[in-house]
Amino acid sequence: MDQKGEQVYVGSIDQGTTSTRFIIYDKSAKTIASHQTEFTQFYPEAGWVEHNPIEILESVRLCMAKALDKATADGYNVDEGLKAIGITNQRETTLVWSKSSGLPLHNAIVWMDARTTSICRRLEKELSGGRTHFVETCGLPISTYFSALKLLWLMENVEAVKTAIKNGDALFGTIDTWLIWNLTGGCGGEQTEPGLHVTDVSNASRTMLMNIKSLSWDEATLKTLGIPIEILPKIISNSEVIGKIGIGWPITGIPISGCLGDQHAAMVGQACKKGEAKSTYGTGAFILLNTGEEAVTSTHGLLTTLAYKLGPNAPTNYALEGSIAIAGAAVQWLRDSLGIIQSASEIEELAGKVENTGGVYFVPAFNGLFAPWWRDDARGICIGITRFTNKSHIARSVLESMCFQVKDVLDSMHKDAGEKGEVKNENGDFVLRVDGGATINNLLMQIQADLLGCPVVRPANIETTALGAAYAAGLAVGVWTEQDVFSDEAKQEKPTTFQPNLDEELRKKRVESWCKAVSRTFDLADLSL
């Protein structure tokens, strides 16, 4: 309750790669109700990954309704007390839809989709700067990862998209834009104004089309790529009143006042200030180091991106980021494709039956490798297998693959940021904050600390992505202040700290073996079927 004794709540839409959640928080940032539902991933061809945008909308509708029902059943007066809604979303996932009908013109192309490889190679050859041609403007290399390349594919290969752009009927957006447009009115009607076509600075920073300094669409980049600015959304900050939810939704009239890409939301949820880093373990793994108001250019394979901008006139915080395509997705692969485990939670017990991997190294380059390698010709391998190898060794090597990849990224961050760019604790140690569903695995977290050689800190609430979006929304309408969110006193329940136990010499040898395994994944994309 606030000082007047009224119940005050903030909602958060967390739209991830495989599921959607709606969470309702009270003024103390405690979860009072939530609902989660999974949606379908489509794999039309090898390396292609798609979502049905309508199914995503319906998942949001369902989660809203179910969470509201749960809150009401538990005695919370959410109808009166809900002050704001925040949105956080899977980044880079790209779609184009019709302004007049509101219907998608193609399935959404998911961030990990690799169909744009040939477009990337073409641009690298045509442009004077090669793969790094746009880095100075947007902080990103040319890669299948980013939205601009997916948009180019849609423009070149989908007739409906070509026609809609020609007729002025096309709207481009990432999932945040699609959700906000629909939540605030869609294509409109007799009683409804058309939806708002906007995106926030964090999602815009992942398109390759935004100038990272001016925080506006870069006209030179658009001209080079042939993308019309008319189809792009307006760029806004992460924390401001955007618009109100329209009729036809379980919630109506409530302001949407926070929007961040998932990894940026986790930065806010973890209260990462300058010099502090977090790693989120989900389908992929994403490590961000807040570099404050300086956009640091990486020379070690990392991305320069927005951390957050908590208001139209607030300072812009930048970050170095390392993105790992396959983390928890490798556990899903063990479960769904190989049947080695029946549920994701089983992997900890199975991997814990052996003290090490028995010399097995698994590199999950299913669709290539992201940071710091940036090899879209890489493919997954499992090496070091002997007659001694059993499924526990395989399971443990899958867990280790996540931790080795995070170490690769953090090593690059240490080189780019330097001693002055990192905050250390009272013992002189750099500390990695962790969050995301996979961090409930204690063995995974201990392996991570061992391979990094530094403490790993897991908060009591590991779902910091949704919390960060709620904080951003609440900040905009006065539910919270930045002091509430970022002060040391504001930290929630006591976190769990994992201390490294691995001998330094052994750590070095294992990292060398991992790097040898990674090198074996290169140039495998054209293996014959």
Side-chain angles (χ1 to χ4, degrees):
M1 294 188 182
D2 68 5
Q3 292 177 344
K4 299 177 183 178
E6 297 174 338
Q7 291 182 323
V8 174
Y9 308 108
V10 176
S12 179
I13 299 169
D14 181 1
Q15 196 287 306
T17 307
T18 59
S19 66
T20 298
R21 293 182 302 163
F22 184 69
I23 301 176
I24 303 171
Y25 297 94
D26 65 13
K27 182 73 181 289
S28 68
K30 176 186 175 184
T31 299
I32 64 162
S34 69
H35 188 78
Q36 178 170 335
T37 186
E38 293 192 356
F39 50 82
T40 311
Q41 290 206 83
F42 301 97
Y43 305 95
E45 295 185 25
W48 293 28
V49 191
E50 296 180 356
H51 290 152
N52 180 341
I54 301 298
E55 186 182 4
I56 287 177
L57 280 186
E58 290 310 308
S59 72
V60 170
R61 189 186 307 277
L62 174 66
C63 289
M64 274 185 173
K66 294 287 188 182
L68 285 169
D69 288 347
K70 291 176 184 177
T72 302
D74 289 340
Y76 297 101
N77 188 5
V78 178
D79 287 340
E80 295 294 327
L82 191 62
K83 301 301 181 186
I85 299 290
I87 295 175
T88 181
N89 60 288
Q90 51 169 314
R91 303 173 304 169
E92 296 96 15
T93 297
T94 300
L95 66 155
V96 178
W97 66 95
S98 163
K99 188 190 308 183
S100 57
S101 73
L103 296 175
L105 300 175
H106 189 275
N107 270 348
I109 301 178
V110 179
W111 58 271
M112 67 178 78
D113 185 287
R115 76 185 65 187
T116 57
T117 299
S118 61
I119 296 177
C120 293
R121 296 294 84 77
R122 184 183 80 212
L123 291 174
E124 288 171 11
K125 290 179 181 177
E126 291 176 354
L127 300 176
S128 59
R131 193 172 71 88
T132 60
H133 185 83
F134 300 109
V135 165
E136 188 174 343
T137 5
C138 69
L140 311 174
I142 293 172
S143 167
T144 60
Y145 188 12
F146 305 113
S147 307
L149 286 308
K150 303 178 197 304
L151 175 56
L152 286 181
W153 188 92
L154 289 167
M155 290 169 61
E156 293 175 9
N157 293 277
V158 180
E159 285 300 323
V161 171
K162 295 179 189 177
T163 302
I165 290 176
K166 183 179 179 181
N167 296 338
D169 189 40
L171 296 176
F172 155 82
T174 43
I175 296 296
D176 59 307
T177 304
W178 169 246
L179 292 181
I180 293 170
W181 189 80
N182 280 282
L183 285 165
T184 58
C187 49
E190 292 183 7
Q191 299 177 318
T192 311
E193 290 292 316
L196 297 167
H197 189 217
V198 302
T199 189
D200 73 273
V201 286
S202 64
N203 277 294
S205 77
R206 312 297 296 187
T207 60
M208 277 182 53
L209 302 176
M210 188 187 83
N211 186 302
I212 204 164
K213 301 290 176 59
S214 69
L215 308 186
S216 58
W217 300 121
D218 190 77
E219 292 185 7
T221 301
L222 295 177
K223 183 178 180 181
T224 298
L225 297 177
I227 294 173
I229 196 168
E230 293 78 19
I231 70 172
L232 303 184
K234 176 186 176 183
I235 300 174
I236 58 172
S237 76
N238 298 122
S239 181
E240 61 181 273
V241 175
I242 301 165
K244 292 183 178 180
I245 296 180
I247 60 174
W249 291 89
I251 298 167
T252 58
I254 304 300
I256 300 170
S257 54
C259 184
L260 308 95
D262 49 12
Q263 305 314 317
H264 314 266
M267 289 282 278
V268 176
Q270 287 269 33
C272 283
K273 294 176 284 192
K274 182 179 179 181
E276 298 177 336
K278 69 88 199 171
S279 179
T280 299
Y281 301 73
T283 302
F286 303 88
I287 307 92
L288 279 80
L289 172 70
N290 189 328
T291 60
E293 295 181 47
E294 180 185 5
V296 175
T297 300
S298 174
T299 57
H300 297 91
L302 303 180
L303 310 176
T304 304
T305 192
L306 265 285
Y308 46 76
K309 180 180 176 66
L310 298 175
N313 301 313
T316 302
N317 273 243
Y318 292 94
L320 284 168
E321 175 174 344
S323 306
I324 295 163
I326 303 295
V331 178
Q332 295 167 354
W333 175 72
L334 284 185
R335 179 192 66 193
D336 300 337
S337 298
L338 299 189
I340 288 178
I341 52 177
Q342 298 305 307
S343 67
S345 59
E346 290 177 24
I347 192 170
E348 182 173 8
E349 181 183 356
L350 181 60
K353 291 180 179 179
V354 291
E355 292 185 0
N356 55 56
T357 65
V360 173
Y361 287 82
F362 172 71
V363 187
F366 295 163
N367 285 17
L369 289 171
F370 287 176
W373 308 97
W374 296 107
R375 296 289 298 244
D376 55 28
D377 63 341
R379 289 298 179 267
I381 64 166
C382 188
I383 63 173
I385 299 171
T386 67
R387 185 64 184 82
F388 172 70
T389 303
N390 62 40
K391 61 183 180 180
S392 290
H393 295 115
I394 301 295
R396 194 175 183 105
S397 72
V398 167
L399 294 184
E400 288 195 353
S401 72
M402 299 187 215
C403 301
F404 276 120
Q405 290 180 95
V406 170
K407 178 174 172 54
D408 288 342
V409 168
L410 275 173
D411 285 349
S412 294
M413 277 183 180
H414 295 321
K415 293 171 185 173
D416 280 331
E419 286 291 320
K420 294 180 181 178
E422 299 173 342
V423 172
K424 296 187 177 180
N425 66 11
E426 61 276 6
N427 298 322
D429 295 323
F430 179 78
V431 175
L432 179 66
R433 292 167 168 78
V434 297
D435 56 71
T439 61
I440 61 172
N441 187 323
N442 289 327
L443 178 59
L444 176 68
M445 295 295 95
Q446 187 57 54
I447 292 171
Q448 187 68 86
D450 286 342
L451 292 180
L452 289 177
C454 73
V456 167
V457 177
R458 180 181 65 196
N461 177 5
I462 62 172
E463 300 299 350
T464 59
T465 301
L467 180 61
Y471 277 150
L475 284 168
V477 298
V479 173
W480 294 297
T481 65
E482 288 201 31
Q483 176 72 11
D484 294 331
V485 175
F486 287 98
S487 70
D488 292 335
E489 295 76 22
K491 304 296 183 188
Q492 297 183 334
E493 302 167 60
K494 188 175 180 181
T496 303
T497 300
F498 297 84
Q499 296 289 351
N501 296 323
L502 193 64
D503 174 75
E504 180 65 27
E505 193 60 34
L506 179 56
R507 182 185 301 116
K508 287 181 179 178
K509 288 181 179 178
R510 301 197 61 212
V511 170
E512 288 173 4
S513 296
W514 163 256
C515 291
K516 186 182 293 186
V518 169
S519 70
R520 301 293 196 271
T521 70
F522 300 161
D523 197 25
L524 297 181
D526 59 352
L527 288 177
S528 298
L529 295 176

